[in-house]
Amino acid sequence: MYQNGYEQYKMQSVNTMTRGEMLLLLYDELVKRITRAEIALEDKDYDLFEKSVERSKEIVQYLNRTLNMEYKISYELRRMYEFFLYEIGRLQIGRNKAVVQELKPLIIELRDAFREADKKAAI
């Protein structure tokens, strides 16, 4: 009973979000998954590491697929997303914490830029 109410609440929340809020939610989830992969790597929890990296890859692929190529900035974002996918692939194959430490700040910086743009668009 409670589960059904929670699912309805989640669906309503998602359906009432602005595009900017949805984008920020995706970036927050990406940062969370990359962080989770980093911690799992430290803990040698390779199952959680693989799941976290795979979900990170899926998020970036979704962001890449949903770009509106009518805007010039989309070409730059596509290059950035392709770089993220390359780095995530390196992370998955090499299980190298240094890759996370290089990638995570870039993702956070891009998320923060979108957050600022969303704030300015709301004014």
Side-chain angles (χ1 to χ4, degrees):
M1 180 173 153
Y2 292 112
Q3 186 67 20
N4 188 27
Y6 177 70
E7 290 299 320
Q8 288 176 338
Y9 170 77
K10 273 187 3 183
M11 286 303 296
Q12 183 179 4
S13 294
V14 169
N15 290 334
T16 59
M17 285 181 154
T18 66
R19 286 179 164 175
E21 290 170 332
M22 290 178 98
L23 181 64
L24 291 173
L25 185 67
L26 283 167
Y27 271 100
D28 287 341
E29 186 66 19
L30 179 57
V31 170
K32 180 175 100 177
R33 296 298 175 136
I34 287 291
T35 302
R36 188 176 286 170
E38 181 179 27
I39 293 168
L41 195 57
E42 289 171 0
D43 295 343
K44 295 182 179 15
D45 184 347
Y46 298 118
D47 185 48
L48 179 60
F49 170 79
E50 288 296 327
K51 288 177 183 174
S52 300
V53 170
E54 194 59 39
R55 186 67 180 130
S56 299
K57 191 185 318 180
E58 290 169 359
I59 293 169
V60 175
Q61 288 170 336
Y62 176 80
L63 290 168
N64 195 21
R65 278 194 317 270
T66 58
L67 285 172
N68 183 345
M69 300 311 288
E70 293 178 16
Y71 298 101
K72 194 173 186 176
I73 189 137
S74 295
Y75 292 96
E76 295 302 317
L77 286 170
R78 174 151 288 158
R79 291 178 61 211
M80 183 72 79
Y81 293 152
E82 287 171 357
F83 173 74
F84 287 172
L85 288 170
Y86 173 78
E87 291 297 303
I88 291 170
R90 280 186 51 217
L91 172 63
Q92 193 169 24
I93 291 168
R95 294 182 177 174
N96 186 347
K97 187 177 174 184
V99 175
V100 175
Q101 293 169 340
E102 294 168 6
L103 182 60
K104 191 171 156 185
L106 298 174
I107 294 169
I108 291 170
E109 186 177 334
L110 191 55
R111 179 200 58 193
D112 292 346
F114 276 117
R115 181 172 284 132
E116 279 302 309
D118 189 48
K119 283 180 188 176
K120 288 181 182 178
I123 295 175

